[in-house]
């Protein structure tokens, strides 16, 4: 892969660049899409940070910590590497099998911790499913499997379903093993990967598709309304005329009900209000008496301080009594019982409610209903002219979508040529020189058109000369499949997928220069992602930024699998073992040192 087609920005890239020029099988080079520019990644450096395993098969208790870049896991055949991957898969939502529980234990538990940027799509998924997840903190998923069957799943200690774990796990980790049918193998994601590789403008097509569907929906709604309205024309005329004649207003029911209640109260309280008024009003009322007493006391108040205090109190009583008289008058007016007005209000209120029941709406919705029914009548009146305008708008929107979708299809076919060429350059070094790779771009029937355009995209391979092309998942050899995935990963430069990847024995059945090429590509890919590789190849193991040894130990009749990180000297010794077998020679140690220095 050309240098400029790699991932820029060190171990945590900010932008991805497609190749400036990509060699093709015809000997020519194809320039980068002229519209291409650096693409910001959706998120940066998400990675698996911790893995805790308890009582899984031969693992009694294991706590691992991981960092960025390429990490390698090695060990003798049968040491338990598959147990480690099965444990991680369990945390990521694979089927729970009680056979994973260590003999004699009540349950097995696996917990995986992830460090994710705040804008990682996993947080949106969790929010949609009602989980509390702070983007500033680590994300921990945990799975418990009981020995008697059944399992429980948790996200940040909140109960979750296995389905949620699977969906979440697909955003966090890709596991490429001997029988993997996810990630790059699944054709459902191929179109998005091609678009990301070619840096194609799908957003414009999606907007045009939405505008087209909106225009079509408006046209269909108008046709349906006109058909229904024409069938119900007589009823509509009557309903609109009745509503117009009645003239309902929003909030009218509450106003009428309040006025009716006040008048009913006024009728009930009329005698009491008259009696109270008589006590206060008139020449013989209480208020007049208070005023006479105040005037007489005013003449003698200077004679003693207590008389002055009494006058002040009496003045206050006169003021309060006057206010009471005013409020009584206001209350009497507010609740004034007018039999004619009450009858009018009650008639209007009852008719309003009856009309609402007739049309099965709230009384306050009658005004809106009147406008809606009147609009339906207007559409009938508009007739063919209105439909013609909507049909023209739908045709124009469809044409606009087709223009953009066709341009997108052309851009996809051009990007497919570049991608095929980029993958082809990676195949020979990986001992896949007889294989061929192609990206199929087919136009779908109109029923399959979508916001993503009109195309079906699928990656296909032919493993032998003269063999027909077939989908990736049809490939026979697991080792070949892993190497194809690696070639495609390098060509795609990790566009649009999870950035924690696990390769299980990608170097199976190869050695020497091929193993070295695999290691070089894994290291290059790890410059912008976290990779964990289970390997038997010393050339691959030497490329790792970190190295773990998986080994069995025996304590009497008890066998355990353990995993431990290796220091520099231990790495050299382990790689020497991988080179020479049971007996480690001085030459093997020297060769191991040369591999480590070359990495």
């Amino acid at each position: 892969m050309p240098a400029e087609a790699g991932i820029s920005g060190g171990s945590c890239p900010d932008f991805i660049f497609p190749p400036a020029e990509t060699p093709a099988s015809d000997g020519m080079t194809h320039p980068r899409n002229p519209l291409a520019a650096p693409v910001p990644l959706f998120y940066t450096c998400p990675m698996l940070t911790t893995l805790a395993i308890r009582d899984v098969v031969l693992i009694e208790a294991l706590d691992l910590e991981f960092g960025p870049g390429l990490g390698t896991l090695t060990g003798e055949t049968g040491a338990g590497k598959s147990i480690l991957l099965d444990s991680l898969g369990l945390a990521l939502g694979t089927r729970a099998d009680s056979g994973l529980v260590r003999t004699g234990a009540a349950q097995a538990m696996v917990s995986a911790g992830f460090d994710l940027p705040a804008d990682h799509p996993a947080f949106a998924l969790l929010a949609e499913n009602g989980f509390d997840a702070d983007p500033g903190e680590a994300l921990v998923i945990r799975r418990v499997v009981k020995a008697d069957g059944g399992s429980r799943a948790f996200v940040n200690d909140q109960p979750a379903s296995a389905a949620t774990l699977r969906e979440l796990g697909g955003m966090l980790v890709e596991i490429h093993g001997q029988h993997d049918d996810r990630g790059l193998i699944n054709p459902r994601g191929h179109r998005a990967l091609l678009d990301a590789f070619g840096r194609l403008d799908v957003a414009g097509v999606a907007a045009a598709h939405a505008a087209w569907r909106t225009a079509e929906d408006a046209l269909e709604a108008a046709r349906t309304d006109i058909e229904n309205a024409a069938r119900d024309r007589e009823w509509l005329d009557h309903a609109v005329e009745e509503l117009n004649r009645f003239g309902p207003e929003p909030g009218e029911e509450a106003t009428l009900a309040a006025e009716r209640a006040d008048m009913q109260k006024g009728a009930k309280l009329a005698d009491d209000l008259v009696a109270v008024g008589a006590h206060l009003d008139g020449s013989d009322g209480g208020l007049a008496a208070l005023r006479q007493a105040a005037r007489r006391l005013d003449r003698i108040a200077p004679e003693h301080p207590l008389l002055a205090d009494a006058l002040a109190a009496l003045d206050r009583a006169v003021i309060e009594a006057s206010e009471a008289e005013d409020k009584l008058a206001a209350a009497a007016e507010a609740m004034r019982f007018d039999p004619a007005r009450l009858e009018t209000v009650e008639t209007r209120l009852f008719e309003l409610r009856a009309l609402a029941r007739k049309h099965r709406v709230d009384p306050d919705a009658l005004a809106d209903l009147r406008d809606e029914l009147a609009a339906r009548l207007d559409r009938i009146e508009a007739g063919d002219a209105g439909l013609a305008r909507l049909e023209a708008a739908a045709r124009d929107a469809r044409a606009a979508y087709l223009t953009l979708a066709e341009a997108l299809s052309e851009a996809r076919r051009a990007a497919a040529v570049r991608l095929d060429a980029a993958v082809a350059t990676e195949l020979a070094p990986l001992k896949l020189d007889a294989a061929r790779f192609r990206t199929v771009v087919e136009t779908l029937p109109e029923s399959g058109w979508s916001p993503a355009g009109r195309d079906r995209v699928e990656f296909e391979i032919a493993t032998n000369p003269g063999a027909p092309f077939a989908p990736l998942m049809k490939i026979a050899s697991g080792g070949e499949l892993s190497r194809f995935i690696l070639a495609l990963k390098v060509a795609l430069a990790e566009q649009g997928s999870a950035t924690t990847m696990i390769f299980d024995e990608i170097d199976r059945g190869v050695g020497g220069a091929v193993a070295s090429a695999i290691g070089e590509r894994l290291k290059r890919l790890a410059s912008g992602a976290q990779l964990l590789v289970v390997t038997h190849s010393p050339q691959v193991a030497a490329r790792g930024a970190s190295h773990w040894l998986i080994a069995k130990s025996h304590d009497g009749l008890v066998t355990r699998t353990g995993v431990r990180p290796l220091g520099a000297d231990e790495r050299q010794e382990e790689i020497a073992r991988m080179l020479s077998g049971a007996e480690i020679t001085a030459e093997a140690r020297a060769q191991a040192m040369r591999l480590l220095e070359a990495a």
Side-chain angles (χ1 to χ4, degrees), residues 215-233 236 372 375-377 379-380 383-384 386-388 390-391:
E216 289 287 351
D217 290 344
L219 175 59
E220 185 60 29
R223 286 172 173 162
T224 301
D225 282 349
I226 289 175
E227 290 173 3
N228 294 338
R231 187 172 57 249
D232 300 329
R233 176 67 181 265
L236 279 172
E372 178 186 338
R376 289 175 62 183
L377 277 176
R379 284 195 290 271
I380 294 176
D384 294 339
L387 278 181
L390 292 173
E391 287 170 349

Side-chain angles (χ1 to χ4, degrees), residues 353-367:
R353 289 172 174 171
L355 196 57
R357 285 194 301 272
K358 176 180 178 180
H359 290 285
R360 297 180 182 179
V361 296
D362 291 331
D364 283 347
L366 284 172

Side-chain angles (χ1 to χ4, degrees), residues 25 416 420 423-424 427 432 434-440 442 456 458-475 484:
S25 57
D420 293 351
V423 174
L427 295 180
L432 295 169
R436 293 169 295 153
F437 172 89
R438 73 178 182 185
T439 304
V440 177
E442 293 182 346
R456 181 188 74 87
E458 185 170 1
F459 302 147
E460 294 184 344
I461 56 173
T463 55
N464 298 301
F469 281 93
L472 280 175
M473 63 178 59
K474 300 295 184 181
I475 192 169
F484 259 112

Side-chain angles (χ1 to χ4, degrees), residues 315-354:
D315 285 341
R316 290 195 298 274
V318 170
I319 293 171
E320 293 289 340
S322 296
E323 290 183 1
E325 184 180 40
D326 293 340
K327 292 186 181 298
L328 280 170
E333 179 61 29
M335 294 187 293
R336 184 170 62 86
F337 175 62
D338 181 349
R341 176 58 184 167
L342 177 60
E343 182 179 359
T344 299
V345 168
E346 287 184 334
T347 299
R348 176 74 177 180
L349 180 61
F350 296 155
E351 288 179 352
L352 179 69
R353 289 172 174 171

Side-chain angles (χ1 to χ4, degrees), residues 490-502:
V490 173
L492 288 170
E494 252 304 280
Q495 291 271 9
S497 61
T499 54
T500 292
M501 289 176 285
I502 298 175

Side-chain angles (χ1 to χ4, degrees), residues 548-567:
W548 291 269
L549 176 64
I550 305 173
K552 281 184 181 178
S553 63
H554 304 279
D555 182 8
L557 298 178
V558 179
T559 301
R560 296 183 177 87
T561 290
V563 183
R564 62 184 181 87
L566 300 181

Side-chain angles (χ1 to χ4, degrees), residues 254-536:
T255 301
L256 291 172
E259 185 178 358
R260 175 174 176 260
D262 284 344
M263 283 193 289
Q264 288 174 333
K265 290 176 184 177
K268 186 188 304 183
L269 302 177
D271 293 341
D272 292 329
L273 291 174
V274 171
V276 172
H279 287 302
L280 289 175
D281 200 8
S283 58
D284 296 330
L287 185 56
L290 284 174
R291 288 174 177 152
Q292 289 177 0
R295 284 195 295 272
R296 178 163 291 188
L297 186 56
D298 184 54
R299 292 197 299 270
I300 63 175
E303 301 298 330
H304 195 279
L306 289 176
L307 294 176
D309 292 342
L311 177 60
L314 196 56
D315 285 341
R316 290 195 298 274
V318 170
I319 293 171
E320 293 289 340
S322 296
E323 290 183 1
E325 184 180 40
D326 293 340
K327 292 186 181 298
L328 280 170
E333 179 61 29
M335 294 187 293
R336 184 170 62 86
F337 175 62
D338 181 349
R341 176 58 184 167
L342 177 60
E343 182 179 359
T344 299
V345 168
E346 287 184 334
T347 299
R348 176 74 177 180
L349 180 61
F350 296 155
E351 288 179 352
L352 179 69
R353 289 172 174 171
L355 196 57
R357 285 194 301 272
K358 176 180 178 180
H359 290 285
R360 297 180 182 179
V361 296
D362 291 331
D364 283 347
L366 284 172
D368 290 338
L369 177 64
R370 174 189 57 197
D371 296 340
E372 178 186 338
L373 297 181
R376 289 175 62 183
L377 277 176
D378 289 342
R379 284 195 290 271
I380 294 176
E381 298 297 332
D384 294 339
L387 278 181
R389 287 193 299 272
L390 292 173
E391 287 170 349
R395 283 195 303 271
D396 291 345
R398 184 180 186 276
Y401 169 76
L402 277 175
T403 298
L404 292 175
E406 288 170 359
L408 178 60
S409 297
E410 286 297 320
R412 279 177 175 151
R413 284 187 280 271
V417 171
R418 299 195 303 274
L419 178 59
D420 293 351
V423 174
T425 63
E426 301 294 334
L427 295 180
L430 297 176
K431 201 178 179 181
L432 295 169
D433 46 312
R436 293 169 295 153
F437 172 89
R438 73 178 182 185
T439 304
V440 177
V441 181
E442 293 182 346
T443 301
L444 294 167
E446 186 166 345
S447 59
W449 298 358
S450 73
R454 305 187 304 154
D455 307 312
R456 181 188 74 87
V457 175
E458 185 170 1
F459 302 147
E460 294 184 344
I461 56 173
T463 55
N464 298 301
F469 281 93
L472 280 175
M473 63 178 59
K474 300 295 184 181
I475 192 169
S477 165
E480 284 183 331
L481 175 59
S482 294
R483 279 179 277 144
F484 259 112
I485 290 172
L486 177 59
L488 189 52
K489 279 286 185 185
V490 173
L492 288 170
E494 252 304 280
Q495 291 271 9
S497 61
T499 54
T500 292
M501 289 176 285
I502 298 175
F503 286 89
D504 182 15
E505 299 185 1
I506 189 174
D507 48 12
R508 177 186 291 267
V510 300
V514 176
S516 181
I518 291 174
E520 188 275 329
R521 280 155 179 78
L522 288 170
K523 183 174 181 180
R524 190 196 315 170
L525 191 57
S527 67
Q530 180 190 45
L531 266 70
L532 299 175
V533 181
V534 177
T535 180
H536 290 289

